[in-house]
Amino acid sequence: MMFPRRPGKRRRFTLASTIFLATTLFISPAFAIWPFPPKRFTGNALIDAGSMGLSGDGRVVALGDFDGDQLLDVLLLGSDQQTLSVYYWKHDSFSFAEGESFKHPRKVYNVVPGDFTHSGKLDILVMSQSRNNNQLDLTLYPALSGDGLDIYNPLVLPSSTLSQPIPLDVDGDMKIDLLGITPDSLDGSGSTFQLWQNVWNASAPDSKLFAIEDAPFNGKHCTLANPHSNAVVDLDGDCLADVFLVCDDGRGGKSYQIWINAKDDGFSLSQEGALPSGTQAISFADIDRDGTIDVIFPTCSRVSSSTGAGTDCYINIAYNQQLPLCSLSTDSGFRKGVRICRRPGDLCTADPNFKFNLSDSPDNHNFVRFPTSSLFSSSSSLLVLDTTFDPPLPIALKLGDVNLDGFPDVLAITVAGREQTPHLIYSVPCAANLVGCAQDGSGRRGWKLATKGVETLEAVKDARSVTFLDMDEDGTLDIMVQRSGQAGQGNFLFIQNNFYYDAFFLKAIVLNGACGNGWCYGANGSGRYHPFGVSYSGATYKYTVLDTAGHRSAAQVGQLPQTAYQSLQTPYSFFGLGRTNNYIENLFVGTTIHAPEHYIDMEGVVPNSKVVILPSAKEGEAWKRELFLRPGEWIPWVTVTVVVAMILLAIIVLVLHLNEKREDELERRKISHHINFDAL
């Protein structure tokens, strides 16, 4: 016997089966085929990411890509101030893993990663205690042709005074030299500034690394301060790195000197002056996004030698007075034969009349000064010295574009009693009654303490230093907090920046020209590798970008401007682009090469990417450029949307095609049954 079918029930069963199957496939952990991995961090806030594999009671003293995989690694110094350990970032486990570890024979003060031997891999320069209390011993641990460091055959270098030397390329050969003061140069004869000239020759078995020479600085030399904030950064706008020096005036105060890079003619003294009383560590960034490098620093009336806390502190910003960007792209930039602005295609034009005015005067609109108590109502004390290290380390205001709006934000540590708390300060447009702005709302930039989503950061009460870095190279600036380890909290805390910002970023790194064809080879031609980890101090980036309203702006970023006193700056440059619906119009990349054109202009660079530039010191030889795109979290959803849209369109086309075919068949049948009566 056959029973009649019940189509309604079958349809209900089919629908229920489909829902159950979809639920099983997309939700059940055991059988899920959902193509997107779950998010590691959830929530629109700063998220506690833990120690990320770092352990012990030491401290991070340097950042660098030691294995050349384009992922940021860290170098740890143990609590004995002698044991150095490299921790490599592992993308798969999203954490650091300990690599090689060794013990330096004397107490370490600072470590500078750099490719001093021009091999395409990072060596490490260790500045350590000397038998002479007025000197620094310099030791280089070269990178091996395979992996790791040659810890058994270090190179002993000429010593320095306690004012730590800084790396720079003086002669334009893309090799790292050092600028500082040697003990012999303090006798008053010859040049005070000394140059550790890089003369390394890998093919010579007994080659030495440095030869001591008088530095080609044409002007009156000063006595470098200890500690100092010396920097290698472009200050006159020609995309060629200049030198900023902090000097000891001999009367308990500090002064500064700016030396302009004239390539083969050496450096010439352009500007000097006194720094405000109580000046602490100085930082460099394009604060107002006008295409020039400004300076920002705290001043405190008194600093405790036991806690490192400064009282009655102010934040000071000196804006670089320089040729602005022309408001119209059609503007020639000249008026009556005098240049008054830079066209978008002429960003690397020097302005010999640039200047900084650090006088605190109501008429000086290029110098802004405000008390820290206006930002931190509960405390006006800033942590300006890390006294947990011997000797104490200067703590600078850390700058980084957290919200990708194109304007650098600030990390600072306040002190209240025994609590040392890190804070994030946003750079915002000026408005009335805003910190850093005039009462009528005029001014360059205002400053606002971040209060939403920063609970994890401000829950730290034992911070001793902070820095920005990009964990896992995902295009967001995260935060590393080094702690004193009180209450068993550990010495390291990484904070994931999980805020969502409707804006773009760009990362860039200029390599040091080693292995000109982009590939390096180990001993006897074995072990091919890319020199991706060998960033160097002095590269300059300038770019123009259009916002969504069509307004053009310029910005400038320096690469590794400071390395002394454990400044913990990343080897790459990270800058936010703000909201834009276009490519980057012009990206100028400058180096210290002594050639007629020491920079290149890259047009139409894709945002949310990393640019790697391999310059060539040989005149006429083209520079190599590589662009690495980082797919955002929205890429899979765009793919799903496109696939679903294509399926829907295919279904619609198929249905229309079947309907058309059915109508054609009906029309054909109708015609075949038609009787032609005229033929009868």
Side-chain angles (χ1 to χ4, degrees), residues 1-5:
M1 179 182 292
M2 296 182 64
F3 294 94
R5 291 184 299 176

Side-chain angles (χ1 to χ4, degrees), residues 285-462:
D286 187 354
I287 301 295
D288 56 348
R289 197 181 183 183
D290 65 346
T292 64
I293 294 293
D294 312 306
V295 298
I296 179 172
F297 56 93
T299 54
C300 300
S301 61
R302 187 176 64 86
V303 178
S304 171
S305 59
S306 59
T307 64
T311 56
D312 190 22
C313 295
Y314 286 76
I315 292 179
N316 308 264
I317 305 172
Y319 291 102
N320 195 336
Q321 302 175 55
Q322 205 177 116
L323 287 172
L325 179 69
C326 296
S327 57
L328 299 175
S329 59
T330 57
D331 195 335
S332 66
F334 289 88
R335 293 290 186 275
K336 297 181 179 180
V338 178
R339 185 183 292 274
I340 61 170
C341 62
R342 292 187 178 98
R343 299 183 62 191
D346 298 325
L347 291 186
C348 290
T349 301
D351 181 4
N353 299 316
F354 86 99
K355 64 178 179 178
F356 290 96
N357 187 348
L358 276 67
S359 63
D360 184 18
S361 168
D363 299 330
N364 182 13
H365 302 294
N366 296 298
F367 184 77
V368 176
R369 185 172 187 259
F370 53 88
T372 56
S373 58
S374 61
L375 285 170
F376 316 107
S377 57
S378 60
S379 173
S380 61
S381 298
L382 282 180
L383 188 66
V384 294
L385 281 178
D386 180 5
T387 57
T388 65
F389 192 81
D390 182 28
L393 294 171
I395 299 178
L397 299 174
K398 295 297 183 179
L399 303 174
D401 190 0
V402 174
N403 52 10
L404 306 182
D405 63 350
F407 298 90
D409 309 303
V410 174
L411 274 177
I413 301 176
T414 61
V415 180
R418 295 185 177 182
E419 295 183 349
Q420 298 176 178
T421 307
H423 299 276
L424 176 62
I425 308 167
Y426 285 128
S427 172
V428 295
C430 263
N433 301 319
L434 197 61
V435 176
C437 306
Q439 292 184 351
D440 61 357
S442 61
R444 302 282 188 100
R445 295 297 293 177
W447 303 91
K448 182 179 180 181
L449 183 65
T451 57
K452 184 178 180 180
V454 296
E455 293 79 9
T456 298
L457 180 66
E458 297 193 344
V460 178
K461 302 302 179 184
D462 60 345

Side-chain angles (χ1 to χ4, degrees), residues 59 61 76-84 102-111 125-133 135-139 141 161-162 164 386-393 566:
R59 62 186 302 125
V61 293
L76 261 64
L77 177 65
S79 58
D80 59 358
Q81 283 193 226
Q82 291 180 258
T83 303
L84 291 166
F102 65 96
K103 189 170 184 178
H104 190 69
R106 301 190 69 84
K107 183 184 292 185
V108 174
Y109 293 158
N110 189 38
V111 179
L125 173 67
V126 177
M127 303 179 186
S128 60
Q129 185 183 48
S130 174
R131 290 184 175 85
N132 187 328
N133 292 331
Q135 296 182 15
L136 281 178
D137 283 346
L138 305 182
T139 307
Y141 292 93
T161 60
L162 293 179
Q164 296 180 9
D386 180 5
T387 57
T388 65
F389 192 81
D390 182 28
L393 294 171
Q566 302 180 27

Side-chain angles (χ1 to χ4, degrees), residues 574-628:
F574 182 101
F575 32 100
L577 303 175
R579 298 188 62 190
T580 177
N581 52 11
N582 206 340
Y583 298 104
I584 300 174
E585 287 187 309
N586 299 91
L587 173 63
F588 289 87
V589 182
T591 64
T592 52
I593 295 174
H594 290 183
E597 293 293 336
H598 57 272
Y599 62 88
I600 59 172
D601 178 11
M602 302 174 60
E603 297 182 353
V605 178
V606 181
N608 282 13
S609 62
K610 180 178 180 179
V611 181
V612 178
I613 299 98
L614 293 84
S616 174
K618 298 180 181 178
E619 188 172 349
E621 184 173 312
W623 295 11
K624 294 180 176 62
R625 291 156 277 186
E626 297 187 39
L627 184 71
F628 297 87

